[in-house]
Amino acid sequence: MDAQDVPAVIDRILVDEFELDAEDVVPDARLREDLDLDSLDAVDMVVLLEKNLGARVDDKVVARLRTVGHVHAYVGCLVASGPEAAARLADEIAPPPPEAVAPANGTPPPASLARDSG
Amino acid sequence: MTPTWPRRVVVTGAGLRTTLGNDPARLFDALIAGRSAVQRIDDLADVTELECHLGGRIADFDGREIPRKNRRTMGRVAMLAVTAAQDAVAAATLPEGLLRAPRTGVIMGSTMGSPAAEQEFWQHYVQHRSARGLRATTFFQIMSHTCATNVAMTLGTTGPTWATNAACASSSQAIGLALQLIRWGRIDRAVAGGADELHPATIITFDAMGGASRSHEDDPDQTPRPFDAGRDGIICSEGGAALVLEEREQALARGAPILGEVLGFGSTTDAVNMAAPAPEGMVAAIVAGLEDAGLDADAVDYVNAHATGTPLGDAAEAEALHRLFGDRVPVSSIKGHTGHLLGACGATEALVCLEVMRRGVIPPTRNLVQPDVAPLWLPTQPQERPVLVSVSTNFAFGGVNCALVLGHDGPTVH
């Protein structure tokens, strides 16, 4: 698969497998808050991504991703450049959550799909 | 109000998913019209050494009416259970506050979890022997209490959840357990029933042990043939059935619809042979049910028989019914129409009994041309007659014998 095909494949998975409306699946859509996906869905997403891509996906990274755009970017980089480059990209766009950091404007960052108790 | 013990238990709601209709009235109309649910199942065409390729499959059922977040933990069997349970609760007009109260239970059963989900799991494991590549939700579809938990989760109940997984006796046991729990004040109401999905594995299982009907591949609607001389085995089907049962005084106080009363439940075990039934145990179960209801055999106006169309099972049951009722009481089995709904049959047949009592019409047994069992009254045409008390029997592998005693508008028996 080419990296440029990745967003369409991901969007199709989200629409078909998670029964989302195509018009809601946009890069800025937040996986948890807007698309109502949770940690069980994160596990299934990894399974579906690997099945469709034929490549290993890091499930700990996927659990940290917060938006559709993050998924496009991480998986696209995985396909184009391999797991190490993709992991570095993920660290930039969706770093592991810091310990109780309050953003300056008081708005909490979008939640990831890791652990529903969070 | 000072309670009267033991408390009476009434049915206030019914939900069904079957091949012949998705509510008791529609199913009953199909029984009276003589419709058959049995068809050729294409999935089985390439299974070698299989002699039965027939079954009952519900067309156009995919459970999509259940929200995805609930449905993802459900295989087909749980979807059948949940949709039936939702319909039953809606029909009972049960307020959300009561549905979610701690004294509302869920008691549902099935032969097993989803065989389709099990197939997915084992295919993956055998091929890859790896923990990777399995969906998070597969196990919830496989686990044996998948019906009970998915019904509870979807309805949002907080009271006790019980899983009565006992093959053909599953939903009969569910109703029997609900009766005991409500009657003796452990809970005030319950959603009780069961389900099973059609899967090649089930048909293959019965066929491999010689229990499936093999003689009507070209005329599927001619089988199964309960009590008939030409009967040659079971036809598997699928469905979901649920009843809402409530303590009678509370049901009346809230203006609930009253569909009938559960008067008694009896259960015995043959402990002779895992697959071969014995009349003595069946008699004992029915007698126990009648004693539980405080009734004698001569109070019974109708028996809905388990009779699945097997040579031995139908003969044993007929012998048991003959000993108790002679040819005084009309007896019919609906399995000639529906096939064997397995985990759903007890609750489905209880609902048929309620409909019999409501309408004063007894459905005939389909495909019964020449009975060759102990003498019984076996109507082959619909019979109009008042029915105040009916008995519904279900007998499962392992010699599990169950009998439910149901009443129309609650005759005073306690």
Side-chain angles (χ1 to χ4, degrees):
Chain A
M1 182 183 303
D2 287 333
Q4 66 191 25
D5 298 329
V6 161
V9 169
I10 289 168
D11 290 357
R12 184 175 50 73
I13 290 172
L14 289 170
V15 168
D16 291 350
E17 299 285 348
F18 295 98
E19 299 174 24
L20 297 169
D21 287 330
E23 61 198 32
D24 293 335
V25 180
V26 295
D28 287 342
R30 296 167 298 174
L31 298 169
R32 181 182 285 272
E33 293 90 343
D34 299 325
L35 303 182
D36 199 26
L37 302 177
D38 61 18
S39 58
L40 279 184
D41 295 322
V43 173
D44 287 2
M45 194 185 304
V46 168
V47 172
L48 292 161
L49 287 171
E50 291 192 348
K51 197 167 129 185
N52 281 269
L53 300 170
R56 194 177 177 95
V57 171
D58 189 330
D59 44 354
K60 292 187 183 51
V61 168
V62 169
R64 288 190 348 236
L65 303 176
R66 300 191 188 98
T67 68
V68 172
H70 286 174
V71 182
H72 287 174
Y74 167 67
V75 178
C77 186
L78 183 67
V79 167
S81 312
E84 281 157 7
R88 282 194 298 276
L89 175 69
D91 283 346
E92 284 173 34
I93 61 176
E99 305 283 332
V101 170
N105 65 2
T107 305
S112 72
L113 294 177
R115 292 293 171 207
D116 293 298
S117 57
Chain B
M1 181 193 305
T2 307
T4 307
W5 298 97
R7 309 191 305 174
R8 292 169 66 175
V9 179
V10 292
V11 180
T12 58
L16 271 183
R17 288 288 181 279
T18 77
T19 45
L20 293 180
N22 291 341
D23 62 65
R26 238 179 287 261
L27 170 61
F28 199 85
D29 289 343
L31 298 176
I32 298 302
R35 285 178 45 208
S36 166
V38 182
Q39 59 191 271
R40 197 160 175 96
I41 303 298
D42 293 332
D43 299 11
L44 299 169
D46 63 343
V47 179
T48 62
E49 310 295 337
L50 179 67
E51 301 203 33
C52 174
H53 299 83
L54 307 181
R57 171 169 279 156
I58 303 173
D60 303 322
F61 176 81
D62 60 7
R64 292 284 219 176
E65 62 210 88
I66 304 167
R68 182 194 73 89
K69 272 267 180 81
N70 297 116
R71 180 167 24 95
R72 63 186 174 175
T73 53
M74 302 180 202
R76 190 173 172 87
V77 60
M79 290 185 215
L80 290 166
V82 167
T83 51
Q86 288 178 313
D87 282 1
V89 167
T93 61
L94 192 60
E96 201 165 284
L98 288 184
L99 177 63
R100 297 187 176 176
R103 291 182 60 82
T104 300
V106 166
I107 311 173
M108 300 289 293
S110 59
T111 299
M112 52 196 287
S114 171
E118 287 225 28
Q119 179 179 343
E120 190 183 309
F121 177 90
W122 289 112
Q123 268 177 332
H124 174 82
Y125 177 75
V126 169
Q127 188 178 351
H128 301 292
R129 204 167 165 84
S130 168
R132 198 164 185 91
L134 271 179
R135 292 197 191 217
T137 45
T138 300
F139 180 72
F140 300 110
Q141 302 181 12
I142 289 173
M143 62 190 191
S144 61
H145 64 317
T146 187
C147 289
T149 50
N150 276 297
V151 166
M153 287 291 298
T154 307
L155 294 180
T157 56
T158 66
T161 297
W162 299 73
T164 52
N165 297 344
C168 323
S170 298
S171 51
S172 186
Q173 285 191 345
I175 296 168
L177 179 55
L179 170 67
Q180 309 303 330
L181 292 171
I182 298 171
R183 180 191 269 168
W184 295 109
R186 306 308 293 175
I187 54 177
D188 292 327
R189 65 199 68 78
V191 179
D196 260 310
E197 71 189 60
L198 185 72
H199 188 273
T202 321
I203 300 169
I204 289 167
T205 299
F206 280 104
D207 192 79
M209 64 172 88
S213 172
R214 297 171 169 182
S215 307
H216 294 277
E217 296 282 288
D218 297 325
D219 50 355
D221 68 349
Q222 296 300 300
T223 191
R225 307 181 69 83
F227 299 125
D228 186 72
R231 65 189 185 277
D232 73 328
I234 281 171
I235 293 292
C236 295
S237 189
E238 63 179 4
L243 288 68
V244 176
L245 294 99
E246 299 186 54
E247 188 277 314
R248 184 172 177 270
E249 297 308 313
Q250 294 179 52
L252 290 171
R254 75 171 183 88
I258 307 294
L259 307 182
E261 184 170 353
V262 185
L263 299 171
F265 175 73
S267 186
T268 60
T269 304
D270 285 347
V272 172
N273 181 295
M274 191 65 85
E280 291 73 25
M282 296 172 170
V283 168
I286 298 169
V287 166
L290 289 170
E291 281 177 1
D292 192 48
L295 294 170
D296 293 325
D298 57 15
V300 177
D301 302 310
Y302 167 63
V303 176
N304 183 279
H306 185 60
T308 62
T310 61
L312 291 180
D314 291 9
E317 181 171 12
E319 174 60 31
L321 296 176
H322 173 76
R323 290 185 199 175
L324 283 170
F325 305 112
D327 59 1
R328 178 188 66 79
V329 176
V331 174
S332 62
S333 165
I334 70 166
K335 294 189 178 72
H337 301 75
T338 62
H340 195 343
L341 272 63
L342 302 171
C345 74
T348 300
E349 291 160 13
L351 291 176
V352 167
C353 285
L354 295 184
E355 201 64 13
V356 165
M357 294 188 288
R358 186 177 76 83
R359 298 198 197 194
V361 177
I362 291 167
T365 301
R366 191 188 152 86
N367 297 329
L368 176 52
V369 173
Q370 181 59 54
D372 74 341
V373 295
L376 294 173
W377 179 3
L378 294 167
T380 52
Q381 295 294 328
Q383 295 282 314
E384 283 192 18
R385 60 192 289 112
V387 175
L388 293 181
V389 176
S390 52
V391 168
S392 178
T393 56
N394 291 107
F395 309 117
F397 283 153
V400 178
N401 305 315
C402 296
L404 281 167
V405 183
L406 300 148
H408 179 57
D409 274 351
T412 304
V413 293
H414 290 295

